[in-house]
Amino acid sequence: ATGATGSRIIIWWPEFLGILSFVLSLICSGHAVLKKRDPRSATGWVGVLWLAPILGAILYLLFGINRVRRSATATGTLAKSD
């Protein structure tokens, strides 16, 4: 039974990887379009996400989300601009 499961994984991994990369790109690009203030930034991230789906998603999660602003907003220490 274990051998059959292993061979199924080997056969279906390209489809799984394709679906995973599509879903990651879709979620991250939706987040970029909705949360980025600068349209050029959002467009750039969407381009990276769709041209290099898995690597782009990792880069977006590491560098694209502004955690400092989110943390400051949550604690109420965000400076108000005039």
Side-chain angles (χ1 to χ4, degrees):
T2 304
T5 304
S7 64
R8 259 190 244 145
I9 292 171
I10 292 172
I11 292 171
W12 289 100
W13 77 266
E15 286 83 2
F16 173 74
L17 195 60
I19 292 169
L20 177 68
S21 65
F22 177 78
V23 169
L24 279 174
S25 294
L26 190 65
I27 291 171
C28 289
S29 61
H31 185 273
V33 168
L34 294 174
K35 299 293 183 180
K36 292 290 177 188
R37 289 185 178 193
D38 184 13
R40 295 172 296 179
S41 174
T43 303
W45 276 115
V46 169
V48 169
L49 288 164
W50 286 101
L51 292 174
I54 295 176
L55 178 63
I58 292 169
L59 290 174
Y60 181 73
L61 292 173
L62 290 175
F63 302 114
I65 300 172
N66 190 350
R67 289 179 183 81
V68 174
R69 183 176 204 65
R70 180 178 296 163
S71 176
T73 303
T75 60
T77 59
L78 184 64
K80 303 280 184 199
S81 55
D82 294 327

